[in-house]
Amino acid sequence: MDALAGLLEGPRARGAFLIRACFDPPWCVRIEDRAPLTIMLVVRGEARIMPDDGEPLVLRAGDLAIARGPDPYSCADAPGTAPQAVILPGGECTYPDGRSLKGHWDLGVRSWGDRLDGSTVLLIGTYMMQGEVSARLLDALPPLLSLTSDDWECSLLPILAEEIVRDEPGQEVVLDRLLDLLVIAALRAWFSRPEAEAPAWYQALADPVVGRVLRLVQDDPAHPWSVATLAAKAGVSRAALARRFSELVGEPPMTYLTGWRLALAADRLRDTEETIGAIARQVGYGSAFALSSAFKRVYGVSPQEHRTRAA
């Protein structure tokens, strides 16, 4: 698996919140759902994404934005428009004064807003739970990124636009997988841009010494690596490897190795039904107890609690 594939392997939507939003100006929706990741596609018209801290982002037909939570933001036709609705955790919708909006803006299957042929139409997909997107991917993203229709060609847009309003058996699963594919395609396009700030470890893969060590660790996390064995594989001294690795990656080799092992364990706890002991052995821990101790120290919960929350 190449590094980019490893980074993008994470999105796994489960019952994602997907909706077609249709508005006529003036309109403004305040987003306070604390969702880990939300993707917005403009089908028609124009929208502005306005973070509380940062410059507004203008989106036009064919443009896409991805917002990384949990910070709130507003989506509107213009900067001065007052919010008409607030989106809270779990997809709950209220008026700004707290009154429930349930049913008031419903326009049919997964459609919401003023009218179906509104001057602005957006397709919005939201990952509801932290476990649906790996921490490795979230840490690599800015709070808000965008791609214009000139930056990429989205062949999935017409498919998503058609499927999002269908009400068929198994439709949630279809939409979850479409959302995953859309996010992966968008992020692959974004990471290919010169201005994209890929994580330090990703950039360090180009280094002949550190890149080799990173690939060894990523390809075989269960191996009993030490600084000495990694340095020998890279053909440098332990001191040289430790210094060069810390300079390029931002942390020592063994700290990175621990983080990589635990990130893999977190993903496997979420995506498989394997025992904690089996996962521990796959990622380089001798026992379930050893993995549990390290996992709780870093994630603040036990592996079983992490699995339960992800489910």
Side-chain angles (χ1 to χ4, degrees):
M1 179 184 294
D2 64 70
L4 184 57
L7 190 63
L8 299 182
E9 197 266 341
R12 292 287 189 279
R14 288 182 174 85
F17 180 76
L18 286 111
I19 200 164
R20 178 178 61 170
C22 312
F23 299 115
D24 287 320
W27 62 272
C28 178
V29 178
R30 175 75 173 166
I31 314 297
E32 298 180 357
D33 59 4
R34 302 186 63 82
L37 202 70
T38 296
I39 188 165
M40 293 160 276
L41 272 164
V42 179
V43 177
R44 183 167 65 241
E46 186 175 288
R48 284 170 173 78
I49 312 299
M50 298 178 290
D52 289 2
D53 297 313
E55 294 298 316
L57 180 64
V58 180
L59 301 176
R60 297 178 176 86
D63 295 352
L64 169 149
I66 294 180
R68 172 175 61 81
D71 294 341
Y73 56 94
S74 297
C75 186
D77 68 313
T81 305
Q84 298 153 318
V86 181
I87 310 299
L88 299 172
E92 180 185 355
C93 304
T94 70
Y95 288 104
D97 62 8
R99 290 179 295 126
S100 176
L101 241 175
K102 187 175 182 179
H104 288 207
W105 282 8
D106 286 354
L107 297 174
V109 178
R110 299 184 194 88
S111 298
W112 185 75
D114 298 318
R115 57 189 178 93
L116 288 176
D117 57 349
S119 59
T120 298
V121 176
L122 301 94
L123 304 182
I124 302 169
T126 300
Y127 291 82
M128 307 290 281
M129 301 292 293
Q130 184 76 32
E132 294 174 334
V133 186
S134 73
R136 285 178 288 129
L137 176 55
L138 292 175
D139 290 344
L141 301 179
L144 186 64
L145 65 90
S146 66
L147 292 168
T148 69
S149 57
D150 294 330
D151 295 326
W152 76 316
E153 184 176 348
C154 180
S155 58
L156 292 169
L157 177 55
I159 301 174
L160 181 61
E162 179 181 343
E163 293 290 340
I164 202 169
V165 294
R166 294 185 67 181
D167 190 15
E168 303 286 344
Q171 193 64 18
E172 281 194 357
V173 177
V174 172
L175 291 173
D176 283 349
R177 297 293 76 80
L178 278 174
L179 179 60
D180 291 341
L181 288 171
L182 182 63
V183 169
I184 290 169
L187 292 178
R188 184 171 60 182
W190 184 77
F191 275 117
S192 70
R193 299 169 63 178
E195 66 269 29
E197 294 184 5
W201 65 262
Y202 184 80
Q203 299 179 49
L205 284 164
D207 183 82
V209 172
V210 177
R212 176 163 173 73
V213 170
L214 285 168
R215 290 184 179 89
L216 288 168
V217 166
Q218 291 172 357
D219 291 344
D220 192 4
H223 188 83
W225 296 113
S226 66
V227 175
T229 57
L230 289 169
K233 290 284 188 180
V236 297
S237 69
R238 287 179 294 175
L241 173 61
R243 181 176 61 254
R244 192 181 187 100
F245 196 100
S246 296
E247 287 175 354
L248 295 182
V249 180
E251 58 187 355
M254 301 312 290
T255 302
Y256 175 84
L257 174 60
T258 297
W260 177 254
R261 285 170 167 169
L262 294 179
L264 291 176
D267 287 350
R268 290 179 184 179
L269 286 163
R270 180 194 66 198
D271 296 332
T272 75
E273 296 182 359
E274 294 175 298
T275 67
I276 295 173
I279 292 173
R281 292 187 293 274
Q282 291 168 16
V283 300
Y285 286 90
S287 67
F289 177 78
L291 172 61
S292 296
S293 297
F295 197 93
K296 191 165 187 177
R297 186 167 57 249
V298 172
Y299 285 84
V301 296
S302 69
Q304 186 57 52
E305 287 173 313
H306 173 83
R307 169 172 274 170
T308 301
R309 290 181 181 184

